[in-house]
Amino acid sequence: MLTISKPLSAGQAQTYHQKEFTAKEQNYWSQRGVIAGEWQGRLAGQFGLAGTVSAEDFAKLSQGQHPQTGEQLVRQRASYEYQDANGKTIKTMEHRAGWDATFSAPKSVSLTALVGGDERVREAHRESVRVALDQLEHYTQARIGGNHQPETTGRFIAAKFEHDTARPVDGYVAPQLHTHAVVFNVTERDNGQPRAIQPQSLFASQQFATAIYQSELTYKLRQLGYEITTGRSEAPEIKGYTQEYLDASSPRSRQIREYLERTGRSGKEAAEIAAHSTRDRKEIHSPGEVMAAHRKLAADFGHQAEAVVRAARERSQHQEKPVNSFERVRESLTFSRDKNFEREAVVDERALIRDGLRRGMGEITHAQVCANLDARLTSGEFRIVERNQSIPGRQFTTAKTIEAEHEILRRMREGQNHVEPVLSRPQAITVADRHSHLNRAQKSAVEDVLSSPDRIQGIQGFAGAGKTTTLTVIRGAAESQSYQVEGFAPTSRAARQLNEAGIEAGTLQGFLARTANPDVPDRKHLYLVDESSLASTNQVREFLSRLGPDDRVLLIGDIRQHQGVEAGRPFEQLQEAGM
């Protein structure tokens, strides 16, 4: 999975580079001495960075400087202290050097690559990190400053350092394959202007990049003959290991879990605190000591890693070539479409790809999902929604969603000037005047609703404006003209408020669940739908399709409040279309 750290200061980044990222103690298994690191990113090539990472280039980028010329690309910010409103002294952070994006292999993958000695697995991890980091880069944004929105650039510089051990716990250094990718705090706009990075988009892309990494890794492992199962936190694990061995090889994870249980804390921030609070001192062990400890633990559990590698190699010799996975890719993306568009009318491309990859984990690749998405975009199944530069990726809707929205607007327009008003305008004014307790706005609402020839009307606002009183007057006048008044709302709380106005009310979902309208066909209705801004496109479309020829609808809500959990904003769209 991918985790992204809090911002590193220039001093922290350079200290980590010297003592953590490049330390030979981080790679007992490869025993290749100092870790050189490797550059990645579109901006890296542009700045002339390729191959291994030098301490000088790393230091310059940490300070926001061009690695070749030394030019200051990002303005330095010195740390300073100030007192907040409570008199507490706050010390600001010095220049942000960047963020540590760490890709960690599942424990069974680490054991297979390191204890089992299958270098192909390590290479699969390496390539999966490259693909995921490349896709993460597409969502890089520049901080513009002032009141300006961030600008998507799709360019960064990352220094990667591959490690194969975790922090020691009680002197034991567990095998843990992971890659630190330090994303430096500099990007470049299309006009060539360097800028600091706006990191929110990178954090918002964590699950997306994790899905790519895990999917690519699982796909490659299956090609090597390994069987995969789902482990904790939905991470893919190689079959063939007992849970006891996995736990014994993960003392660091157990140490953090025990700390959280002991303190009663939970969540990402608590886990970060736990990780910092439970750190053992970095001890230098000889490669011989580390390998001896691993061999003893492996022997205690029956040399499972060796057996897993042996079985995979045998399996791969008789493994059939993968069949055409087009149907599996299509099914996975369809699942993702249905899942995401159930709740949203507009969906981010990252969410579609993420859930598609999770659905077809190990059987499909990121490139295949993207190709299928583009093909369905060309066919018209998906539509790109126009976005501003501050949104760092494509946003999609579907032809089905657009069709439902158009149907709602069509029904509203067809119903304009189409029905007999409940009362004539003079009669409506008389009714309103009869209720002296109504203020001017309430009287205006009563008059307009009762005298309108439109089948579908809406009242915008009403928060704290005497809604119950106004609706009570409208109900009484409509019932006097033989209308059956019935209320609905997306929530049971709002339905109860309608009941307080003397209006028989239930939930909108309950009404839609009815198979048929049991009322006499010629009975005319006035339906009041409260909190209409919470109703989804599908709910409103289905509701309007059930109206009888003499039925009327009054939608009540406030588009300034939160929108519904499910997809769409029909109440707002109806207002924009002239309801």
Side-chain angles (χ1 to χ4, degrees):
M1 65 177 294
L2 167 65
T3 56
I4 302 178
S5 73
K6 293 179 179 178
L8 304 173
S9 69
Q12 283 176 319
Q14 291 175 57
T15 299
Y16 284 164
H17 178 259
Q18 179 184 358
K19 297 184 178 180
E20 301 270 349
F21 298 145
T22 61
K24 63 182 180 180
E25 291 78 31
Q26 297 289 352
N27 263 347
Y28 285 112
W29 292 91
S30 62
Q31 299 179 26
R32 60 184 178 184
V34 174
I35 303 166
E38 180 183 8
W39 295 109
Q40 184 172 328
R42 294 167 184 80
L43 204 56
Q46 200 171 312
F47 282 7
L49 299 172
T52 59
V53 178
S54 72
E56 182 181 2
D57 290 340
F58 190 97
K60 284 182 179 178
L61 285 167
S62 298
Q63 298 288 349
Q65 298 170 357
H66 194 293
Q68 305 298 327
T69 66
E71 176 191 357
Q72 194 68 43
L73 302 173
V74 179
R75 188 175 62 183
Q76 284 277 20
R77 185 176 65 177
S79 175
Y80 64 93
E81 293 184 353
Y82 69 94
Q83 287 191 327
D84 64 11
N86 299 320
K88 183 180 179 181
T89 299
I90 306 295
K91 185 175 182 179
T92 66
M93 185 178 179
E94 61 173 306
H95 171 70
R96 293 182 176 186
W99 298 265
D100 178 9
T102 305
F103 291 89
S104 301
K107 178 55 68 175
S108 60
V109 177
S110 295
L111 292 174
T112 304
L114 305 173
V115 180
D118 192 345
E119 183 63 26
R120 300 173 306 162
V121 173
R122 190 162 188 163
E123 182 57 38
H125 161 79
R126 200 169 291 145
E127 178 60 17
S128 300
V129 168
R130 187 196 64 77
V131 173
L133 192 61
D134 176 70
Q135 292 305 309
L136 180 66
E137 183 180 10
H138 284 292
Y139 298 93
T140 308
Q141 291 192 302
R143 187 193 298 273
I144 304 302
N147 294 322
H148 300 288
Q149 295 287 341
E151 182 179 301
T152 303
T153 63
R155 291 190 287 272
F156 66 35
I157 301 174
K160 296 184 296 185
F161 304 92
E162 186 181 297
H163 294 166
D164 58 24
T165 54
R167 280 186 168 272
V169 177
D170 297 330
Y172 176 67
V173 184
Q176 182 56 54
L177 181 60
H178 61 284
T179 300
H180 294 277
V182 179
V183 177
F184 291 97
N185 186 22
V186 60
T187 186
E188 189 175 272
R189 303 173 71 184
D190 289 340
N191 62 8
Q193 184 184 52
R195 284 284 183 174
I197 284 178
Q198 174 65 273
Q200 277 81 350
S201 179
L202 297 181
F203 283 96
S205 302
Q206 270 184 266
Q207 291 187 10
F208 164 72
T210 293
I212 294 175
Y213 166 74
Q214 292 181 340
S215 179
E216 293 290 310
L217 179 62
T218 305
Y219 186 85
K220 289 176 171 58
L221 291 175
R222 281 190 165 149
Q223 303 309 302
L224 295 175
Y226 289 101
E227 295 181 323
I228 308 296
T229 187
T230 302
R232 288 172 177 165
S233 303
E234 301 299 311
E237 296 280 5
I238 294 175
K239 286 185 179 180
Y241 294 97
T242 63
Q243 191 60 53
E244 290 77 16
Y245 184 34
L246 294 176
D247 290 341
S249 299
S250 309
R252 182 74 179 128
S253 297
R254 186 181 67 249
Q255 189 181 46
I256 293 173
R257 282 200 306 271
E258 290 173 351
Y259 178 89
L260 291 173
E261 291 171 2
R262 190 168 62 251
T263 59
R265 296 175 177 173
S266 61
K268 179 184 174 183
E269 191 166 326
E272 290 178 356
I273 294 172
H276 183 78
S277 302
T278 57
R279 281 183 174 179
D280 282 15
R281 183 175 60 86
K282 273 286 184 183
E283 300 178 28
I284 298 178
H285 301 263
S286 71
E289 290 174 319
V290 172
M291 297 306 291
H294 288 306
R295 281 194 294 269
K296 181 179 184 307
L297 188 64
D300 290 343
F301 286 91
H303 296 290
Q304 295 177 27
E306 292 179 14
V308 166
V309 173
R310 187 166 55 250
R313 290 187 182 277
E314 292 175 359
R315 197 177 294 114
S316 64
Q317 293 177 0
H318 308 289
Q319 193 167 256
E320 296 181 4
K321 290 185 177 180
V323 296
N324 188 332
S325 57
F326 175 80
E327 283 301 317
R328 184 59 171 146
V329 174
R330 188 184 64 80
E331 185 275 329
S332 297
L333 187 58
T334 297
F335 168 84
S336 179
R337 178 201 67 191
D338 293 345
K339 175 185 176 183
N340 283 282
F341 282 101
E342 180 184 6
R343 296 290 184 180
E344 300 290 343
V346 177
V347 174
D348 191 287
E349 182 174 23
R350 286 169 290 185
L352 280 174
I353 294 173
R354 177 198 67 205
D355 292 335
L357 289 173
R358 286 175 175 172
R359 177 71 171 184
M361 183 67 71
E363 300 177 64
I364 60 178
T365 66
H366 171 259
Q368 290 172 331
V369 173
C370 289
N372 188 258
L373 178 58
D374 286 341
R376 292 163 80 164
L377 180 64
T378 301
S379 72
E381 178 183 343
F382 292 104
R383 309 278 181 88
I384 293 179
V385 177
E386 290 299 319
R387 62 181 177 85
N388 57 42
Q389 185 68 0
S390 66
I391 299 177
R394 295 190 296 182
Q395 307 285 302
F396 293 106
T397 189
T398 65
K400 184 178 179 181
T401 300
I402 293 173
E403 182 183 342
E405 291 174 347
H406 287 173
E407 181 181 338
I408 291 171
L409 301 185
R410 176 178 57 78
R411 288 185 182 277
M412 181 272 291
R413 289 178 178 133
E414 288 177 351
Q416 289 181 321
N417 295 306
H418 190 74
V419 294
E420 193 71 26
V422 177
L423 297 173
S424 66
R425 187 74 183 183
Q427 289 173 321
I429 292 173
T430 300
V431 169
D433 288 343
R434 197 182 299 147
H435 296 83
S436 58
H437 57 283
L438 297 178
N439 60 34
R440 183 179 298 274
Q442 290 170 321
K443 286 183 177 181
S444 177
V446 168
E447 294 166 6
D448 290 343
V449 169
L450 295 178
S451 65
S452 172
D454 294 348
R455 181 188 301 279
I456 301 168
Q457 297 172 267
I459 296 182
Q460 157 63 27
F462 248 147
K467 173 175 65 178
T468 301
T469 304
T470 306
L471 295 182
T472 300
V473 175
I474 293 173
R475 174 188 61 81
E479 288 178 342
S480 72
Q481 299 302 308
S482 302
Y483 279 89
Q484 179 176 335
V485 180
E486 191 172 354
F488 301 109
T491 66
S492 55
R493 177 187 60 78
R496 285 195 298 270
Q497 290 181 343
L498 288 175
N499 281 311
E500 292 172 5
I503 300 166
E504 182 183 343
T507 64
L508 188 57
Q509 296 91 322
F511 172 77
L512 297 177
R514 301 177 194 172
T515 56
N517 192 336
D519 295 306
V520 179
D522 60 354
R523 187 73 186 272
K524 56 186 180 181
H525 299 80
L526 171 60
Y527 293 119
L528 308 180
V529 183
D530 198 9
E531 292 196 348
S532 292
S533 61
L534 298 180
S536 72
T537 295
N538 285 335
Q539 287 175 331
V540 173
R541 180 192 61 78
E542 178 66 19
F543 177 72
L544 296 182
S545 72
R546 299 199 185 185
L547 296 182
D550 297 316
D551 292 343
R552 308 170 66 96
V553 177
L554 178 61
L555 303 173
I556 306 137
D558 189 350
I559 60 175
R560 296 166 298 185
Q561 295 179 329
H562 293 299
Q563 299 297 311
V565 174
E566 295 188 36
R569 49 184 189 90
F571 186 58
E572 182 176 354
Q573 289 172 332
L574 283 166
Q575 291 189 39
E576 292 171 350
M579 175 177 65

